[in-house]
């Protein structure tokens, strides 16, 4: 978990401030009519974490929220630490500055915080579900216990890594990947340059040869760039490992198929004479309802876009003190 080793905010390149500027410009491209009405008088507003539907909320996205109001000459005082959970309704922060500028940044800041926090919160419930037997899914405790249970899960399943995917919202990837990290999730590759992933289309374009595709990727990426191969069968996974793939993805397998293929790869390449270094990743339609079916000791990574697609936002509001 990244936050156990330092401040996740320290990962951010200053370029993200340009994104905030663009988002503010998008929301107010010309006249601020409402701002004219309220004027420049100094005001104070309270950020309230609500999210009654989630039982408990989790705070993520603080640097983006802060930057919105910094660019508008306002200050933010936080009363809840990023990565912490809170019970609704919670006074999470206080924003101070000209009332016009508080309201100018309100919607952009809340949208950023709501989505980023929703992604972070999603990981906690999913990571808990991943390590339960299927018969226990119907007896899940309230989400408010997920953070504590995550620590318990790690005692029994240290090798289970939950990761997001590259299926992010265009122009919003940085915020969504940040939310994954705050929630404790592995963000997976950030972009096409971060790792070579050879999917079915790449293999078909190489005449169907996984070996040819892997060798070409290794030749151009060198020692620094990992190569992952999306595999549709156990035979393809074996070819990928022999070709030198760093990661083999068992894509859209059944739970039984995953266990059989992963254990076969373990026996052949981790216990046999032809030993290779590689990771086994499982992906394809994983959700809270079925992810436990794919967990076994031979699987290193479970990746799913359900962590960041279609998540419930954590509900926040900003109220002027009067």
């Amino acid at each position: 978990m990244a936050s156990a080793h330092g401040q996740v905010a320290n990962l951010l390149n200053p370029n993200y401030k340009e994104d905030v500027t663009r988002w503010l410009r998008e929301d107010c491209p010309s006249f601020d009519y409402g701002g004219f009405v309220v004027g420049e008088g100094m005001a104070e507003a309270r950020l309230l974490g609500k999210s009654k539907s989630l039982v408990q909320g989790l705070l993520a996205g603080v640097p983006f929220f802060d930057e919105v109001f910094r660019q508008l000459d306002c200050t933010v005082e936080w009363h809840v630490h990023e990565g912490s959970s809170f019970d609704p309704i919670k006074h999470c922060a206080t924003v101070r500055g000209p009332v016009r500028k508080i309201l100018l940044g309100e919607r952009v800041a809340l949208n950023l915080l709501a989505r980023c926090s929703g992604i972070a919160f999603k990981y906690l419930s999913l990571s808990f579900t991943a390590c339960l037997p299927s018969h226990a899914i119907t007896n899940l405790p309230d989400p408010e216990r997920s953070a504590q249970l995550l620590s318990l899960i790690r005692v029994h399943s240290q090798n289970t890594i939950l990761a997001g995917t590259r299926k992010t919202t265009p122009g919003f990837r940085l915020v969504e990947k940040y939310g994954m990290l705050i929630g404790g999730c592995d963000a997976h590759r950030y972009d096409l340059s971060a790792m070579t992933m050879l999917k079915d289309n790449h293999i078909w374009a190489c005449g169907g040869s996984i070996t040819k595709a892997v060798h070409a990727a290794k030749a151009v990426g060198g020692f620094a760039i990992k190569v992952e191969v999306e595999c549709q069968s156990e035979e393809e996974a074996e070819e990928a490992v022999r070709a030198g793939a760093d990661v083999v993805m068992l894509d859209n397998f059944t739970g039984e198929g995953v266990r059989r293929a992963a254990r076969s790869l373990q026996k052949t390449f981790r216990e046999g004479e032809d030993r290779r270094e590689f990771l086994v990743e499982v992906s394809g339609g994983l959700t809270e309802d079925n992810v436990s079916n794919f967990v076994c000791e031979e699987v290193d990574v479970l990746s799913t876009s359900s962590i960041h697609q279609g998540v419930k936002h954590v509900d926040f509001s900003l109220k002027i003190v009067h």
Side-chain angles (χ1 to χ4, degrees):
M1 188 171 182
S3 59
H5 301 277
Q7 296 293 322
V8 178
N10 291 338
L11 282 170
L12 293 173
N13 185 303
N15 291 339
Y16 81 92
K17 299 177 182 181
E18 298 173 7
D19 290 329
V20 172
T21 301
R22 177 168 51 84
W23 293 326
L24 286 169
R25 185 184 304 118
E26 176 188 56
D27 200 43
C28 187
S30 57
F31 293 131
D32 179 13
Y33 297 106
F36 173 82
V37 172
V38 300
E40 288 275 340
M42 297 301 291
E44 181 177 295
R46 292 178 178 175
L47 174 69
L48 303 178
K50 300 188 292 187
S51 288
K52 294 181 179 179
S53 62
L54 292 179
V55 181
Q56 192 175 51
L58 188 147
L59 180 65
V62 165
F64 308 105
F65 188 95
D66 283 348
E67 182 60 20
V68 167
F69 288 109
R70 188 197 67 79
Q71 292 191 17
L72 295 172
D73 303 317
C74 298
T75 63
V76 181
E77 178 187 358
W78 288 96
H79 312 303
V80 175
H81 294 293
E82 186 168 52
S84 299
S85 57
F86 60 85
D87 296 316
I89 296 174
K90 177 68 175 180
H91 180 193
C92 296
T94 301
V95 181
R96 299 179 178 91
V99 63
R100 176 178 76 85
K101 293 187 176 181
I102 291 177
L103 297 181
L104 182 59
E106 175 187 14
R107 182 40 54 198
V108 173
L110 291 178
N111 287 353
L112 289 164
L113 207 62
R115 177 142 183 82
C116 196
S117 297
I119 290 169
F121 184 86
K122 177 76 169 184
Y123 172 74
L124 293 179
S125 58
L126 186 59
S127 60
F128 172 47
T129 307
C131 299
L132 288 177
S134 57
H135 68 268
I137 299 290
T138 55
N139 297 316
L140 289 177
D142 291 336
E144 62 185 347
R145 295 186 57 201
S146 295
Q148 292 82 1
L149 289 166
L150 179 58
S151 298
L152 180 61
I153 291 165
R154 287 291 176 250
V155 172
H156 301 288
S157 184
Q158 289 291 337
N159 295 325
T160 300
I161 297 173
L162 283 176
T165 72
R166 200 167 56 88
K167 298 177 182 178
T168 52
T169 307
F172 211 61
R173 180 174 296 173
L174 183 67
V175 177
E176 293 176 352
K177 291 285 190 180
Y178 186 87
M180 295 178 208
L181 291 171
I182 291 295
C185 178
D186 189 298
H188 214 295
R189 62 174 180 161
Y190 187 84
D191 51 36
L192 289 172
S193 300
M195 178 174 69
T196 304
M197 182 179 290
L198 301 174
K199 300 175 74 67
D200 49 8
N201 285 327
H202 296 89
I203 305 304
W204 295 333
C206 288
S209 173
I210 289 176
T211 301
K212 179 180 177 181
V214 170
H215 287 176
K218 286 286 187 179
V220 72
F223 71 89
I225 304 298
K226 287 186 177 182
V227 175
E228 178 168 7
V229 179
E230 181 184 272
C231 302
Q232 311 298 322
S233 67
E234 185 177 329
E235 292 72 25
E236 288 186 356
E238 289 184 1
E239 181 182 353
V241 173
R242 287 195 169 94
D246 302 286
V247 186
V248 292
M249 176 193 288
L250 306 181
D251 188 45
N252 290 312
F253 278 53
T254 64
E256 181 181 349
V258 161
R259 287 184 170 86
R260 182 171 58 248
R263 287 167 182 164
S264 176
L265 292 171
Q266 168 87 9
K267 184 176 181 180
T268 302
F269 297 111
R270 291 175 175 168
E271 298 173 357
E273 295 182 1
D274 187 17
R275 296 198 176 191
R276 307 292 181 99
E277 292 291 330
F278 65 97
L279 297 176
V280 175
E281 177 178 343
V282 173
S283 190
L286 302 182
T287 67
E288 298 99 318
D289 297 326
N290 64 16
V291 70
S292 64
N293 298 328
F294 298 88
V295 179
C296 63
E297 289 299 322
E298 294 79 13
V299 170
D300 303 291
V301 182
L302 297 170
S303 61
T304 172
S305 59
S306 68
I307 291 174
H308 49 92
Q309 288 187 331
V311 300
K312 289 184 178 180
H313 289 191
V314 175
D315 189 16
F316 294 93
S317 65
L318 193 62
K319 297 298 182 183
I320 298 291
V321 176
H322 58 84

